Amino acid sequence: MTRVITYGTYDLFHQGHYNLLKRAKELGDYLIVGVTTDNFDLERGKMNTCNNVMERIEAVRATGLADQIVIEEYKGQKIDDILKYNVNIFAIGSDWEGYFDYLKEFCEVVYLPRTQGISSTLLREERPTVNLGIIGTGSIARRFVSESENVTNVKVVVSYNPNQDENKKFCQDFGLIKVADSLDDLFDSCDSVYIASPFNTHYGYCKHALLLGKHVLCETPFVLRKQEADELYQLAEEKQKILMVALKTAYCPAFCHLFSLLKSGIIGEIVEINTSSSTIQEENASKQHGGSMVEHACFTMLPVIKLFGVNYRNINFYSKTYNGIDLFTKAVFRYDHAVASFQVGTGVKTEGNLVISGTKGYVYVPAPWWRTDYFEVRYEDQNKNKKFFYPFVGEGLRYEIKDFVSSVISNPKGTSKLTKNEIMCMVNVQEQYLKKENLFEL
Ligand code: CTP
């Protein structure tokens, strides 16, 4: 029996893919198709795939041509697969001519004719473009525009800042086609907005945008009151628009994989989570930002709420305040069968790592854990310890932008990486803190 193997991403499955699989199948009796995982694609710089790995596998399966489907997760796997599956022929499209000759040591290598005039790249380019407006032109907005250039089907076209000098400079620096001199002017020129203004303006801008039927990506902290969050989500639902919170860690490959690994029981039952985040700020800057909880808590709450859920029994806060601003806060969540805590600081420096402890082992994510490309799973028997590495390209904002754009274009239900319930829970914690519930001053 002649066994043939071929690999691909198979994004937006098209006739070229079908022809290739058919030709590959005709080379032998048994066809194995390798489909790249989302992480592997990100690692090799392919970050604009529209279909996730399950959808891409399904598309290959639906052809009925594959006798076996395997997932391709790492560089060098092709040799391992060829040996493992006793492969006789490695087949791939002629766009790779010569590239895989190194596999000739292990099996026959065949370059098959590529179908002209079609590719996933072309199909992605044919999808609509999201015209994005930016409200607020500070440092995060600057990073956002640069990062958005790495995502297809999105163009930042306009920005607004009540300070028109800053706004003009921003538009000029990034070559935006329009400088909005009013909010209405901004909304007239875009179909979606990224809100990167000071936190206490988020509610007003989100509401205005949604009322006008714009999709919204809002920086953290989204809002600090449950009633406001409720109202905004309801509005988004009524208008059938995407309302997404730009908590970048939630969309990053390392964090997403860590979450799936932990859910699969890699360290047993999780009993404790502890995490920190801090940036020492000038007194005045701190006042403008609103303190440690406002600045950092969304990030530190993320692993807690993702892993333990939204139903905590209670939460206690311990704060060191100065002039009404918390320079440092420690929060302790009590869940039915677990406990979690975090430390945040704008006037106290803490270690910025994340430790998740379970009945079989623990996970250590070094500082700054919220932009990690690496973590370790550690056990009693150190020989079993495992290190995981991931891409974290640029500022890491491109992952949230990618998810926002694909939600706007093709997934009206929105991303599952950070749900409405999880955001509502974060807002609830912020509100409890604002109301000084269970707050102990240090
Ligand atoms: N392929 C082909 N004809 C095309 C497009 C792809 O024969 N018009 C082949 C590739 O050579 C490869 C397989 O299909 O063997 C999977 O390719 P993949 O990279 O997933 O598809 P592309 O359309 O080339 O994707 P992209 O545009 O993102 O590079």
Side-chain angles (χ1 to χ4, degrees), residues 6-11 14 16-17 19-20 23 44 46 91-96 112-122 124:
T6 187
Y7 293 86
T9 302
Y10 307 105
D11 189 32
H14 55 71
H17 293 144
N19 295 347
L20 192 287
R23 286 172 193 144
R44 53 195 198 119
K46 197 164 184 168
I92 195 96
S94 52
D95 45 325
W96 295 98
L112 292 166
R114 192 177 154 91
T115 308
Q116 294 308 307
I118 188 156
S119 72
S120 304
T121 305
L122 280 175
R124 282 193 290 266

